[in-house]
Amino acid sequence: MNRKVLVCLSFLLISVSAVAQKPQKLTTNQIYEKIQKLNFLGTALYVAAHPDDENTRLIAYLANKVKARTAYLSLTRGDGGQNLIGSEIRELLGVIRTQELLAARGVDGGEQQFSRANDFGYSKHPDETLAIWEKDKVLSDVVWAIRTFKPDVIVNRFDHRTPGTTHGHHTTSAMLSVEAFDLAGDKTKYPEQLKYTDTWQPNRLFFNTSWWFYGSRERFEKADKSKMLNFDIGVYYPLKGVSNNELASIASSQHLCQGFGRLTTRGGQTEYVEFLKGDFPKDKKNIFSGINTTWNRVKGGGEIGDILYEIEQNFDFVNPAKHLPSLVKAYSLIEKLEDEHWKTIKLKEIKNIIEACAGLYLEASAKTSSATPNSSVKVDFEVLNRSTVSMDLTSIEWLPAKSKVEKNLDLLANKKENFTENLSLSGISYSSPYWLSNPWDLGMYTVNNQELIGKPETPRPIQVKFNLMIEDIPISFTKNVIRRYSQRDKGEIYEPFEVLPKVTTRLKDKVIIFSDNTSKKIAVEVRSGEANVNGKVTLKVPSGWNVTPQEVDFNIEQKGDKQVVDFTINPSATQSEGNIEAIASISNTMFDKELIDINYNHIPKQSVLLPSKAKVVRLDIKKEGKSIGYIQGSGDAVPESLRQIGYTVTEILPESINENSLRDFDAVVIGIRAYNTKKVLQFKQKYVLEYVKNGGNVIVQYNTNRRVDVKAPYTLQLSRDRVTDEHAKVKMLAKEHSVLNYPNKISDTDFEGWVQERGLYFPNKWSNEYTPILAMNDKGESSKKGSLLVAQYGKGNYIYTGLSFFRELPAGVPGAYKLFANLLSLKENQIK
């Protein structure tokens, strides 16, 4: 790879980590590409179910080669996946994956949209998916996306005609897209949306097919391709120094929490789309064939096109500022367009180009990274015109308040203007992810504001509108208020500016298990959102539970500081479960939220507000042994769950395992996907098996079946077998086995209340040394007996389980705790 490509790739990677934080600073190559895009009036919508489902090759091709406005509609935010980079799961994982999608779009040039569907985990059939999702609501969201984005072409990632052959969410996304294609243009369907938008009928609908959907390359070669279009998506972009498939690989690699980091690829590569509905294009190499994508598409666009096509054809890469007079003239004409849709899109695009050509720098940086509603914050402004074009800053406006401050500053060439203003946050709402603001259920998020539906994230709480006069034409530029500062060991840092509560509370453990009647001390962390905060904290407990004291005072002087207050909870006398809530009060105002910071290098810092509560479970449970070794895999909360019921858990780095490091543990547990993610385990497995052979007890949790060897002591073959219905009937195959009897008697009731699934990636073949303990299956499928296998090896026990303990224990499922305690307590002389 030559130096130019390396530099460009490095620039892309650096840019991605700062997406939505650092201001975009365009090179003249990038300005020219934006002018090309400005001159293309065509739109494409790509539809699938999850983050990382999207074909970044085709999205990048449409956005960069074709120059179409391109978006990916992901029906879910990927909340049901696993997390390879941290401990966040469910809704917090959805926040991470949302930002990873935005980072991917920042690379491939697309935009991002969502529906309100909640990713509840793997689904085997659209019938199951639509029984949990509210079909009419998700369908309305797809219609809304079509009506607001107004695509000329829609491309489905999956085949709507093959239910039951892949993830139910996948097929459902295609089925809903096919249905919405016809509904979006019908004013009698979802008429409530027409208060905010108009009906829209796309021109054509495609399925992004490939050999994979045909089962083999040979079958695909023989397939009828008369209704297929194909493109070489390996095209090279000299202005970028990379090819389209390199760009796509970098975009896909943003899905780090799902382990999508990958090598870049180069060279010709053919992509196929199968025509499904609408008008068939005459040119099978052009997905927009027959659709007017020029400025003549809109009334009054011809004059605009004359100006902008000339700029494109004669663009000055050395001095782009020379085009500003023509760009400003075109801007004025776009403002007069009757077509509000294209007017809005093209005004935004041309303003970005004008800003870049002028070397215009506009920044509003708060003195602090957060403030509270109805307070005020000082904001530093920097305004700089790096061109010789006549320009004035007439005023600034705060949005959404629309309060204006007159400025009337003459922006001389390369003369920086700095000033500070005091910003009032009166009436401003918190800046947490909007889809988490209301209670949600297994299948759907609750979003009542129609105009928020589909947006990837909450609009920033405060924006500044810079009102300028450029060449005697008024043009405004809107910027988010951010926080810019530096650290000696990190350099310049940009963070989102947040509006957060005066005080938040946090219960460290989200599930608290009481294994007997003994009371527990519960710590509540109180965190201040401003200086000099004082009030009281109370702990609300379920009926039949008691807490002392009734309230505790807190007093915090510094913003961001924390104070820990303690309560003692006495559980109910009998087995029960419920929620406790930590509530702070200041002058009769109640604060019941926890602030969760999510901070990874590859995405912007996220501030999430969720209800400050925890699940409490009074559980009758017995156990043997005390000291547990835990070898982490991709990361889970099982160790803390085991500590909840009285085990001493030592987390072990795989690299540190040797012939002596395991021998003192009563049992050793290997975390989820450990053999997938910790390659060093294959070299340490001899010590693990020696520990078992000498009388140890090892529990191996699930691993995916792709290119992995868990190096079990006897033959064991992993598969993709799974049971996704968390209510599926469980049959006890080995009723007399100690695993089901000692020290806790396991009954049918212990499989009630499970969440998301029974388990995944069960073995489907094993040698006679293993005893299958349980059998279960999803509706219409054969019985799966590989969810829990136990084998004696030497004096000890090797246990392999695909049961989703990593979900059930953090969710406080009593039966899962009892069964896991039995696994940990298993001894040689107890096996029957």
Side-chain angles (χ1 to χ4, degrees), residues 142-265:
V142 181
V143 170
W144 172 255
I146 295 172
R147 286 174 172 174
T148 53
F149 195 66
K150 302 190 185 309
D152 300 301
V153 298
I154 298 175
V155 182
N156 293 341
R157 183 68 181 110
F158 300 103
D159 191 347
H160 67 288
R161 298 160 296 195
T162 55
T165 61
T166 183
H167 197 322
H169 296 180
H170 291 169
T171 311
T172 298
S173 71
M175 292 167 62
L176 294 178
S177 176
V178 170
E179 192 171 349
F181 181 87
D182 295 321
L183 298 181
D186 186 343
K187 66 181 180 180
T188 68
K189 306 300 182 184
Y190 307 109
E192 67 280 359
Q193 296 179 359
L194 301 182
K195 178 181 177 182
Y196 308 98
T197 189
D198 300 317
T199 58
W200 181 257
Q201 183 55 58
N203 291 70
R204 51 191 68 134
L205 175 67
F206 298 92
F207 158 47
N208 186 193
T209 190
S210 70
W211 69 265
W212 188 88
F213 292 96
Y214 284 76
S216 70
R217 296 182 187 275
E218 292 73 22
R219 289 181 183 177
F220 188 60
E221 285 295 324
K222 297 175 183 177
D224 178 11
K225 297 184 178 62
S226 60
K227 290 188 176 182
M228 293 185 193
L229 281 66
N230 66 84
F231 329 99
D232 179 5
I233 53 81
V235 293
Y236 178 66
Y237 300 127
L239 291 174
K240 298 180 186 295
V242 295
S243 60
N244 187 78
N245 33 17
E246 286 175 290
L247 203 64
S249 298
I250 298 168
S252 291
S253 289
Q254 303 315 302
H255 299 293
L256 295 182
C257 73
Q258 302 304 297
F260 264 61
R262 59 185 58 182
L263 288 171
T264 56
T265 60

Side-chain angles (χ1 to χ4, degrees), residues 521-540:
K521 182 181 287 187
I522 305 298
V524 177
E525 180 185 273
V526 185
R527 180 175 173 180
S528 65
E530 61 183 29
N532 299 314
V533 172
N534 60 80
K536 299 181 182 298
V537 181
T538 57
L539 201 58
K540 185 178 178 181

Side-chain angles (χ1 to χ4, degrees), residues 430 503 538 583-593:
Y430 300 142
V503 63
T538 57
I583 302 169
S585 59
I586 303 173
S587 301
N588 297 321
T589 301
M590 312 296 282
F591 297 89
D592 61 356
K593 300 294 185 184

Side-chain angles (χ1 to χ4, degrees), residues 5-169:
V5 174
L6 282 170
V7 170
C8 289
L9 285 172
S10 299
F11 175 77
L12 281 167
L13 290 168
I14 292 168
S15 298
V16 167
S17 68
V19 68
Q21 296 182 84
K22 292 186 178 181
Q24 192 177 25
K25 301 170 185 177
L26 302 180
T27 66
T28 52
N29 284 4
Q30 292 170 313
I31 296 172
Y32 177 70
E33 289 179 310
K34 287 191 177 295
I35 291 172
Q36 290 180 308
K37 204 172 185 74
L38 179 67
N39 284 334
F40 189 92
L41 280 70
T43 308
L45 181 66
Y46 198 88
V47 181
H50 311 106
D52 71 42
D53 281 348
E54 79 273 27
N55 183 347
T56 54
R57 298 183 303 274
L58 188 53
I59 291 174
Y61 178 86
L62 292 171
N64 294 277
K65 174 62 177 177
V66 180
K67 304 300 181 186
R69 183 180 181 227
T70 308
Y72 172 40
L73 171 60
S74 175
L75 295 193
T76 76
R77 296 175 185 269
D79 327 74
Q82 283 88 51
N83 185 358
L84 294 183
I85 62 173
S87 60
E88 297 89 353
I89 59 173
R90 292 302 308 151
E91 62 276 355
L92 294 179
L93 178 59
V95 172
I96 294 173
R97 298 189 74 182
T98 293
Q99 292 300 317
E100 289 183 340
L101 271 177
L102 289 171
R105 299 294 79 78
V107 174
D108 61 33
E111 300 176 32
Q112 186 62 51
Q113 295 193 9
F114 293 94
S115 83
R116 290 170 289 176
N118 190 345
D119 178 7
F120 56 83
Y122 194 86
S123 171
K124 293 181 177 177
H125 199 280
D127 290 347
E128 179 192 13
T129 298
L130 293 172
I132 297 174
W133 288 353
E134 295 181 47
K135 178 188 174 183
D136 191 60
K137 287 184 179 179
V138 183
L139 179 59
S140 77
D141 290 354
V142 181
V143 170
W144 172 255
I146 295 172
R147 286 174 172 174
T148 53
F149 195 66
K150 302 190 185 309
D152 300 301
V153 298
I154 298 175
V155 182
N156 293 341
R157 183 68 181 110
F158 300 103
D159 191 347
H160 67 288
R161 298 160 296 195
T162 55
T165 61
T166 183
H167 197 322
H169 296 180

Side-chain angles (χ1 to χ4, degrees), residues 457-634:
E457 54 186 346
T458 306
R460 301 312 306 163
I462 299 293
Q463 295 179 314
V464 174
K465 188 176 180 182
F466 294 82
N467 297 315
L468 278 72
M469 292 290 290
I470 303 177
E471 294 279 298
D472 297 322
I473 299 296
I475 304 179
S476 64
F477 301 88
T478 301
K479 301 292 182 181
N480 295 326
V481 174
I482 52 88
R483 165 68 168 149
R484 180 169 69 98
Y485 62 102
S486 67
Q487 289 184 359
R488 288 192 171 191
D489 59 339
K490 294 182 179 179
E492 188 175 57
I493 298 172
Y494 286 78
E495 287 183 351
F497 173 75
E498 308 284 9
V499 177
L500 301 171
K502 283 185 179 181
V503 63
T504 54
T505 59
R506 175 177 176 265
L507 290 153
K508 176 188 174 185
D509 299 314
K510 297 303 175 268
V511 174
I512 305 170
I513 306 295
F514 292 78
S515 57
D516 53 33
N517 288 326
T518 305
S519 63
K520 283 191 176 184
K521 182 181 287 187
I522 305 298
V524 177
E525 180 185 273
V526 185
R527 180 175 173 180
S528 65
E530 61 183 29
N532 299 314
V533 172
N534 60 80
K536 299 181 182 298
V537 181
T538 57
L539 201 58
K540 185 178 178 181
V541 299
S543 177
W545 296 60
N546 294 305
V547 59
T548 56
Q550 294 299 306
E551 60 183 28
V552 181
D553 293 333
F554 68 87
N555 191 335
I556 306 175
E557 294 182 359
Q558 293 182 310
K559 177 182 176 179
D561 199 3
K562 302 169 185 178
Q563 180 179 336
V564 176
V565 299
D566 292 324
F567 294 87
T568 299
I569 292 184
N570 292 289
S572 60
T574 57
Q575 184 164 309
S576 67
E577 56 187 88
N579 291 316
I580 59 173
E581 300 175 54
I583 302 169
S585 59
I586 303 173
S587 301
N588 297 321
T589 301
M590 312 296 282
F591 297 89
D592 61 356
K593 300 294 185 184
E594 175 186 358
L595 173 60
I596 302 161
D597 296 321
I598 300 176
N599 204 356
Y600 292 98
N601 289 334
H602 67 301
I603 60 173
K605 180 182 178 182
Q606 300 294 298
S607 298
V608 184
L609 294 171
L610 293 178
S612 182
K613 64 180 182 180
K615 182 176 181 180
V616 288
V617 180
R618 165 66 172 91
L619 177 63
D620 290 319
I621 188 170
K622 302 179 183 68
K623 62 185 188 300
E624 284 201 358
K626 185 167 182 67
S627 179
I628 306 298
Y630 201 93
I631 303 170
Q632 277 285 12
S634 62

